[in-house]
Amino acid sequence: MNGKRMKLCVIDDIKSVADMITTRIPWEEHGIEAAGSALDGDEGLELVLRVEPDIVLSDIRMPRMDGLEMTSRILAVLPHCKVIILSAYTDFAYAQQAIRLGAFDFVKKPFSVKEITDIVLKARDARLEEMQERAHVQAMEQKMRDSLPVLRQEYFHLLMHHSTDIPSAARWEFLQLDLEPRNFAVLIAEIDHLSEKYRDMPVQEMELVRFSLQNIMEETVAGFTKGIIFRESMNRYVVVINCRDDAEALTVAEACCVNIATYTKFTISIGTGLYAAGVGELPRSYTQALKALSYHFYTGGNGALGFGALTREREPVPEAFSAREQDLLFALRSGNKDKCIPLLEGMLDSLTAGAGVLPAPEYVESLCCELASKLFRVLLELFPHDQLPTFEARLETIKSAGPVSFQRLRELLLEFAREGCERVEGSRRLESRRIILEAMSYIRSHLHLDLSLEHCARQFNFSPGYFSNLFKKESGMSFQHFVIQEKMEKAKAMLLSDHQVQEIARELGYEHRRYFSEVFKKYTGHTPSEFREANL
C-alpha cells in the first residue's frame, strides 16, 4: 500500500453506530486511520473539511443536513474523497441519488462489521489506484520534460536541412547520441487525422499523447537498431536510424506503425528516405522521406511508404478529367444528381487508375480544388452570391483542407456536388410550382374562354405536352379536370344567385346551353334546374 495511511471519518446521528464503526474494527491493520466521527450533518461537514479524509461513511438521514446535501458539498471541495452512504431499505432511492451525485457506494442498514470493512477496503483500494495512476502520469510528465534536450533537437534539425561534413566527435559525444555517425536513413512519421479528430483534446492531454507515441516509436526502433527521434511539428516526428539498406529502414517503419496502432487509439503514417552513407547525405534522405510521406494522401494513413517505390512517376492524363468535365457541369446546372454524382466519381477514379506510380498528391489536390471552383461558378450562374454562403464555405474547406487524404477530398467534392444538385432541383421545383399557381389563377380569371391545353400552354411559353405533365405533377389533377372543376363550381354559385342557365353557359364559354347542361349533370349528378331546386 506504498506507505500511504488513509483517513476515515464516520458521520451518523446514532452515537452507538458511529462508535462501533470507529472503535470495533481494527482499521490500523488495514492502513486506515479512524480520524474522527460526528453526529449530525453540520458537524460532519466541519469535521471533513478540517481533516480532509480519503473515505467518509455517512448516514443518509441526519438532523441539520442530510447525507445527500453533505455528499454534494464534500465532493465539491474534496473530489477525490470516497463517500459511502449508510441507508435503510426504505431510503434506497435516496442512496441511488447519492450515487448519482458522486458517492462511491452505499450499504443498507442493518449491516454487519464485515460489510462495513469490505466496503471501506474497496474504497481504500480505489483511492490507492487513483493515487498510483496520478503518480504514473506525473512520472511520465517528468520524463517528457527531461527527454530530448533542446540542443539535441536543434542539432538534428540543422543536419536535416543543411549538408555538412562529418560531425566532430566532441559534439556527438557531448549530445550523448546513441547513434553511429554513418549508415543512416531518415523516417518521417505523422499522426493521422490529428487536427480533424482531436482538435478539442486538452493541450496537456495531447502533450501526453505525443510523448507516449514517441516513447513507443523509440522502444520499437531500439528493438532493431540505434536511432534518435525528435518532434518537428505538432503532429510530425523525424526519426534518424542506423541501417544497412532501404529494406531495413522500411521494416523499422512498418513495425512502428503496427505498434502504435496496437497499443494506442491513434495511427501514424511514415515515409522513408533512401540509405545515406554519411551525415552529409541526411538532407537528401530527409527530402525523400517527406516526399514518400505525402503519398499517404492516397492510403489514408496507418502504414509506411518508401521513396524507392516512387522513383518512376507518371503524369495523369488530363483528358480523362476534362473529357467528362463539361458533362459534369451541365448535370449540376440541370440539377440531375443521378447523372452528376456517377460522373464525378468516374472523374476522381480516373486520377488513380492505370498502371504505374500514383500522380503527385499536390497535383491531384490542385485538380480537385480547381474542379470545386468550377462547380461553385455554375451555382453562381444560377443563384445570387448572397444565397450561397454554405457552398462558399464548403469551397473554402476544400481549398484549405491541408494534408487530408484523397478519400476525404473525394468525400468533400461529392458532398458539394450532391448538395448543389439538390439546391438546383429544389429551386426548379419552386419555380414549377410558381408557374402552375399562376396558370391556375389565369384559368380562374378566364373561365369565359374556351380554355384549351394549347391556349394555356402558349400563355407560359411551354409546349402542350410539357405543360400538361407539369400541371399534373404540381396540382395533382389533369389540366382538363381542373378547368371543368373551376367552371362547374362557378356555375353552382351562379345558379344559387338566380342567374339563368343560358347566361351561365355563355359566361363559362359554352356556345350551347344543352352542352353546358350535359357537362353540369355529368359533374354534379343533377341538371342545372334540379340543382337549383335542391339547394334553394
Side-chain angles (χ1 to χ4, degrees):
M1 286 183 286
N2 72 3
K4 166 67 177 177
R5 182 176 290 275
M6 299 289 168
K7 292 181 181 180
L8 167 68
C9 288
V10 180
I11 306 165
D12 196 301
D13 59 344
I14 302 176
K15 189 174 187 304
S16 60
V17 173
D19 290 343
M20 182 274 289
I21 294 173
T22 55
T23 61
R24 288 190 54 190
I25 301 173
W27 295 117
E28 293 79 9
E29 296 177 9
H30 302 294
I32 298 172
E33 173 190 350
S37 63
L39 301 178
D40 62 55
D42 283 349
E43 182 183 350
L45 181 61
E46 188 278 330
L47 173 68
V48 168
L49 296 180
R50 176 166 46 83
V51 173
E52 296 187 357
D54 300 280
I55 305 167
V56 172
L57 279 165
S58 173
D59 191 8
I60 202 163
R61 288 188 179 275
M62 294 181 297
R64 303 178 69 179
M65 185 189 300
D66 64 25
L68 292 179
E69 182 180 356
M70 190 172 67
T71 296
S72 178
R73 294 178 67 175
I74 288 173
L75 294 178
V77 180
L78 302 173
H80 67 273
C81 186
K82 305 301 177 188
V83 179
I84 301 168
I85 298 298
L86 307 174
S87 71
Y89 181 78
T90 55
D91 295 328
F92 181 69
Y94 288 100
Q96 288 182 310
Q97 187 176 347
I99 295 296
R100 288 193 292 271
L101 289 172
F104 177 73
D105 210 337
F106 66 90
V107 181
K108 289 186 290 187
K109 293 181 177 181
F111 46 77
S112 66
V113 169
K114 183 178 185 306
E115 288 176 322
I116 289 295
T117 303
D118 288 346
I119 195 66
V120 170
L121 294 184
K122 179 182 175 183
R124 177 205 63 183
D125 293 342
R127 175 74 181 118
L128 283 172
E129 184 177 351
E130 289 177 355
M131 294 170 65
Q132 290 166 355
E133 288 177 356
R134 178 58 183 161
H136 178 66
V137 169
Q138 290 175 341
M140 289 185 66
E141 291 173 341
Q142 184 60 44
K143 186 177 181 181
M144 173 190 65
R145 286 191 291 269
D146 295 340
S147 64
L148 295 178
V150 175
L151 286 176
R152 183 185 296 179
Q153 179 163 329
E154 288 183 349
Y155 176 63
F156 268 88
H157 186 271
L158 178 68
L159 293 181
M160 294 304 104
H161 295 88
H162 303 281
S163 182
T164 182
D165 296 331
I166 297 175
S168 70
R171 178 176 295 182
W172 208 263
E173 182 178 354
F174 171 75
L175 294 173
Q176 299 180 355
L177 298 172
D178 185 21
L179 193 68
E180 297 298 327
R182 63 190 66 82
N183 302 328
F184 303 107
V186 177
L187 288 56
I188 300 180
E190 199 168 80
I191 306 171
D192 294 329
H193 316 300
L194 183 67
S195 60
E196 296 176 46
K197 295 182 178 179
Y198 309 105
R199 63 167 62 92
D200 297 327
M201 184 178 288
V203 174
Q204 186 175 11
E205 186 176 346
M206 193 64 247
E207 188 64 23
L208 285 173
V209 166
R210 289 198 293 269
F211 174 75
S212 298
L213 298 184
Q214 181 171 334
N215 190 51
I216 291 172
M217 286 194 289
E218 286 174 342
E219 292 180 358
T220 302
V221 169
F224 290 88
T225 184
K226 293 180 179 181
I228 184 169
I229 301 176
F230 61 92
R231 294 186 204 169
E232 188 172 53
S233 64
M234 178 71 70
N235 67 331
R236 182 177 292 177
Y237 304 87
V238 176
V239 186
V240 183
I241 63 171
N242 291 132
C243 67
R244 294 163 296 190
D245 51 39
D246 302 335
E248 183 179 3
L250 190 58
T251 298
V252 174
E254 290 170 344
C256 288
C257 293
V258 169
N259 287 343
I260 292 292
T262 300
Y263 298 111
T264 75
K265 66 178 181 180
F266 296 85
T267 60
I268 60 171
S269 301
I270 299 181
T272 69
L274 299 179
Y275 169 80
V279 172
E281 297 178 23
L282 283 175
R284 171 186 54 77
S285 187
Y286 171 86
T287 302
Q288 293 167 344
L290 202 59
K291 180 73 171 178
L293 179 67
S294 72
Y295 275 74
H296 282 290
F297 171 74
Y298 295 105
T299 69
N302 193 21
L305 290 174
F307 180 79
L310 311 179
T311 52
R312 184 172 61 87
E313 292 190 5
R314 68 172 178 86
E315 285 296 323
V317 183
E319 289 74 16
F321 225 67
S322 59
R324 303 176 190 174
E325 187 176 283
Q326 291 306 313
D327 289 340
L328 173 73
L329 299 179
F330 182 78
L332 174 61
R333 187 174 285 108
S334 61
N336 189 342
K337 183 167 62 175
D338 292 338
K339 184 177 181 181
C340 182
I341 299 307
L343 272 171
L344 180 54
E345 288 177 331
M347 292 174 67
L348 295 172
D349 289 341
S350 72
L351 294 176
T352 58
V357 176
L358 294 166
E362 57 271 21
Y363 178 75
V364 173
E365 288 175 348
S366 174
L367 283 177
C368 290
C369 289
E370 182 180 347
L371 182 59
S373 296
K374 291 179 179 179
L375 293 172
F376 184 65
R377 284 198 292 272
V378 168
L379 296 179
L380 284 175
E381 294 172 9
L382 302 174
F383 304 99
H385 182 270
D386 60 4
Q387 292 183 13
L388 300 172
T390 300
F391 291 94
E392 188 170 25
R394 290 192 181 283
L395 175 62
E396 289 306 312
T397 297
I398 293 171
K399 288 183 174 181
S400 61
V404 298
S405 66
F406 178 64
Q407 181 60 33
R408 178 57 180 155
L409 200 54
R410 179 191 182 98
E411 290 170 358
L412 290 170
L413 275 168
L414 288 170
E415 185 177 15
F416 188 98
R418 188 178 295 109
E419 293 190 7
C421 286
E422 291 171 354
R423 178 65 177 272
V424 174
E425 176 61 21
S427 176
R428 291 187 183 279
R429 285 197 300 268
L430 289 174
E431 180 64 12
S432 297
R433 180 65 177 165
R434 183 190 66 78
I435 290 171
I436 297 306
L437 287 175
E438 287 185 13
M440 289 177 169
S441 178
Y442 177 84
I443 290 167
R444 293 188 183 103
S445 301
H446 296 79
L447 292 175
H448 60 285
L449 300 178
D450 179 16
L451 292 168
S452 67
L453 177 64
E454 290 75 11
H455 171 83
C456 286
R458 192 161 52 248
Q459 304 306 309
F460 295 93
N461 297 315
F462 289 134
S463 69
Y466 181 82
F467 181 73
S468 177
N469 291 333
L470 187 63
F471 194 96
K472 179 69 178 291
K473 179 180 178 182
E474 294 296 332
S475 69
M477 66 180 76
S478 68
F479 168 82
Q480 195 63 39
H481 181 83
F482 180 79
V483 171
I484 292 173
Q485 170 186 281
E486 292 300 310
K487 288 192 174 190
M488 293 305 102
E489 291 300 319
K490 184 171 182 179
K492 288 181 186 180
M494 293 181 72
L495 283 168
L496 296 177
S497 299
D498 207 26
H499 288 76
Q500 297 301 312
V501 175
Q502 183 65 38
E503 179 188 358
I504 296 172
R506 188 169 54 253
E507 179 69 17
L508 297 179
Y510 293 97
E511 294 183 7
H512 304 290
R513 167 181 172 168
R514 182 176 178 181
Y515 179 62
F516 162 72
S517 297
E518 290 175 356
V519 174
F520 187 88
K521 184 173 182 179
K522 185 177 180 180
Y523 181 80
T524 64
H526 302 282
T527 66
S529 298
E530 290 171 346
F531 178 83
R532 196 198 313 259
E533 291 173 5
N535 291 277
L536 288 178

